[in-house]
Amino acid sequence: MRVAIVVKEFPPDSVGGLQTQTKRMASAVEESDTETEVTVFTKRYGQHDDADLPYDVVRVPQLGVSPFVSDLTFLLFCFLALVWYSRRIDLMQCMTIYPIGFLGLMVNRVTGVPYFAWIRGNDFYQMRHVRWKRWMIRRVLEDTRVQVQSVEIEEDVREFFPDLEPDIGVLGNGVTVPEVRSPLDSNRVLFVGRLAPKKGVQHLIEAIADVSSDAELWIVGDGRKREELERLASEHNIDATFIGQVNPSEIGRFYYQASIFVLPSTEGEGMPNAVLEAMSYGVPVITTRSGGLPTLIKEGQNGYLVPMRDPKAIAERVDDLLNDSSLRHKIGTNGREYVTENHSWNALVSCLNNVYRKVT
């Protein structure tokens, strides 16, 4: 089986959750014993040496005049590249339903190469309210298999398009489960992600200010809200360290040194890598009822779910965990076991190969 994985951006140009997940997924599929050959099609920003990767990467040119022009020219040139390569491709795996899923639809119409699309979160929740983007999403849902990351996202898609009966499958992200786990012997509360409004970091800072225990906040990531968040932390006089952007290959040491992980998202999430990674290290997770997160977190068993925009609820859970070592270890152990059984790469590649067979 020769699979083309199509994604708009890819490391090292971008190391966000989708991009990192795509890179690791491509490696897991290529290195599995299923004799699947992977080629990743993505934007080219500069000269990259991809020789260290176990699969091929086709860097498609684009015009970086503006984000809109960059995306538009990438889609055009990627369409031409996929048509050119079509005789060497058995299946296209489109990593988002918009716009990459629609690109897959267009290539399929010209070449007949089957494809499927993935709804990751933002590509549905943020795009569905724009008329022409909604039309593109609808066309893909009408045409082919679409994977989503949780039952909750599937329900949201079906509710938003009640007149459709799409072929939807549920398949979440994968992570590498480390051999070691966090000792959970610190007072560090960790956040990992973009410093954007939807991540709700301001609510976490306000929560730490209300925590009665001695808590140290580590914020790993960067974004346009960083200066504002640093001022907020200073105003609340809390012990907060802004680490900045960290290479995904080095992020493990922060999970290892944390005792609690918090993701206070305020908008629809897919299945955040950071939550899975924290759980894989045995770190108890506090997060919100956003997108696919309720699929991962079983309240009081392998983590905690709190209402969105509720610093007080976050603070209460942080205090509970900091004040009870046995509770921290119980929640962390359950989370690690859940991820090992359901979101390790072996489990995900097995499910993904079933999707390949179904689509082709």
Side-chain angles (χ1 to χ4, degrees):
M1 171 88 60
R2 298 167 299 179
V3 178
I5 300 181
V6 189
V7 65
K8 193 167 66 172
E9 295 173 322
F10 193 72
D13 298 307
S14 178
V15 290
L18 169 61
Q19 294 79 28
T20 301
Q21 184 70 196
T22 303
K23 181 179 181 179
R24 293 172 179 170
M25 183 184 300
S27 294
V29 172
E30 178 74 31
E31 294 171 344
S32 68
D33 57 2
T34 58
E35 298 183 355
T36 302
E37 298 178 5
V38 173
T39 302
V40 173
F41 288 75
T42 188
K43 281 185 180 181
R44 183 176 72 208
Y45 287 95
Q47 295 301 318
H48 295 296
D49 182 3
D50 297 310
D52 61 327
L53 299 175
Y55 46 85
D56 293 329
V57 178
V58 176
R59 299 274 181 178
V60 179
Q62 45 82 38
L63 301 178
V65 177
S66 68
F68 176 79
V69 172
S70 173
D71 289 351
L72 185 62
T73 54
F74 165 71
L75 292 171
L76 173 61
F77 293 140
C78 193
F79 171 83
L80 296 174
L82 287 166
V83 170
W84 177 262
Y85 277 85
S86 61
R87 292 186 179 180
R88 287 173 276 174
I89 298 172
D90 298 314
L91 173 68
M92 291 177 288
Q93 177 176 322
C94 302
M95 291 303 294
T96 58
I97 193 168
Y98 171 87
I100 303 301
F102 190 77
L103 171 65
L105 171 65
M106 294 295 99
V107 175
N108 170 263
R109 290 296 183 266
V110 173
T111 66
V113 176
Y115 75 105
F116 72 96
W118 219 313
I119 290 179
R120 311 296 299 181
N122 287 345
D123 56 324
F124 171 70
Y125 288 110
Q126 292 189 1
M127 306 303 174
R128 59 182 175 169
H129 299 296
V130 180
R131 180 175 299 179
W132 57 276
K133 295 178 181 179
R134 180 169 64 247
W135 178 81
M136 290 183 176
I137 293 171
R138 170 183 284 273
R139 291 299 308 277
V140 176
L141 284 167
E142 290 174 333
D143 189 66
T144 192
R145 174 83 168 189
V146 173
Q147 295 298 131
V148 297
Q149 298 196 82
S150 70
V151 173
E152 289 81 5
I153 296 176
E154 177 185 2
E155 292 172 351
D156 289 344
V157 172
R158 293 188 185 279
E159 182 178 348
F160 195 79
F161 294 103
D163 58 317
L164 299 183
E165 295 184 2
D167 180 11
I168 297 179
V170 178
L171 182 57
N173 283 343
V175 292
T176 300
V177 180
E179 294 183 4
V180 298
R181 57 169 294 169
S182 169
L184 305 181
D185 58 359
S186 73
N187 65 341
R188 296 188 186 101
V189 179
L190 177 67
F191 166 86
V192 175
R194 288 183 296 111
L195 303 187
K198 65 166 283 184
K199 295 298 183 180
V201 182
Q202 67 273 23
H203 304 303
L204 173 56
I205 291 173
E206 293 168 359
I208 297 301
D210 280 341
V211 169
S212 60
S213 308
D214 180 23
E216 178 184 0
L217 177 61
W218 280 8
I219 297 177
V220 176
D222 214 337
R224 61 188 178 90
K225 287 289 185 179
R226 178 168 177 169
E227 290 186 5
E228 179 182 323
L229 294 169
E230 287 178 332
R231 286 196 300 270
L232 182 63
S234 179
E235 290 170 4
H236 283 285
N237 195 31
I238 66 171
D239 186 0
T241 302
F242 286 77
I243 307 295
Q245 189 69 46
V246 173
N247 190 294
S249 63
E250 301 173 358
I251 196 70
R253 64 189 180 94
F254 294 97
Y255 293 118
Y256 181 79
Q257 297 177 68
S259 285
I260 301 172
F261 177 86
V262 182
L263 179 64
S265 296
T266 60
E267 294 182 23
E269 291 277 1
M271 186 167 288
N273 291 336
V275 170
L276 291 173
E277 290 169 350
M279 295 171 74
S280 76
Y281 274 87
V283 179
V285 169
I286 302 169
T287 188
T288 59
R289 298 181 181 277
S290 171
L293 288 167
T295 293
L296 291 177
I297 304 300
K298 308 305 177 187
E299 178 67 22
Q301 299 177 33
N302 64 0
Y304 290 109
L305 294 168
V306 297
M308 295 183 190
R309 304 175 182 86
D310 192 340
K312 183 178 180 181
I314 296 173
E316 290 175 353
R317 289 307 186 189
V318 169
D319 266 326
D320 290 342
L321 289 167
L322 286 181
N323 292 326
D324 191 335
S325 175
S326 63
L327 179 63
R328 286 199 306 276
H329 282 83
K330 183 192 80 169
I331 298 291
T333 297
N334 291 342
R336 182 174 163 91
E337 290 176 353
Y338 173 83
V339 167
T340 301
E341 294 173 4
N342 297 279
H343 294 281
S344 66
W345 283 118
N346 285 339
L348 185 133
V349 169
S350 177
C351 293
L352 196 54
N353 277 297
N354 291 334
V355 177
Y356 292 166
R357 287 191 290 269
K358 179 179 178 63
V359 175
T360 56

